[in-house]
Amino acid sequence: MMDFLLSSVYTWPRVSRALVLVGAAVIHSYEFVYKERRNLALAQGETWNSKIVFYTSALPFMLGSLILLTVASLSSFFK
């Protein structure tokens, strides 16, 4: 996604690819993180903490974006 945003090339094929990637990330987060952890916590009688979705899905996405921005800024710095 950050590569798409940084490139400034917003053609329909690239936009649709980015939308599919975001949709896939949301669906996978819901299916494989949210539902599994919620069901596991409820089965064990624990309280459900929805922060786990942030830590396992959103945080790695944001860190990857930050790393890509850092690499992009460093590469333009050394040119």
Side-chain angles (χ1 to χ4, degrees):
M1 281 302 300
M2 285 307 297
D3 179 44
F4 168 72
L5 293 173
L6 290 175
S7 70
S8 300
V9 178
Y10 304 120
T11 62
W12 175 243
R14 289 189 61 142
V15 170
S16 64
R17 201 172 312 137
L19 290 175
V20 166
L21 285 173
V22 167
V26 168
I27 289 169
H28 285 128
S29 295
Y30 176 74
E31 287 293 327
F32 298 112
V33 177
Y34 176 78
K35 285 172 61 176
E36 290 291 324
R37 298 302 262 160
R38 183 189 54 157
N39 291 338
L40 182 66
L42 292 176
Q44 293 178 350
E46 300 172 355
T47 58
W48 164 241
N49 189 356
S50 61
K51 290 181 183 178
I52 193 74
V53 176
F54 175 76
Y55 293 130
T56 59
S57 298
L59 189 62
F61 184 80
M62 291 187 306
L63 286 174
S65 299
L66 180 65
I67 290 169
L68 184 62
L69 284 173
T70 304
V71 168
S73 66
L74 286 175
S75 67
S76 65
F77 178 71
F78 288 113
K79 283 185 178 180

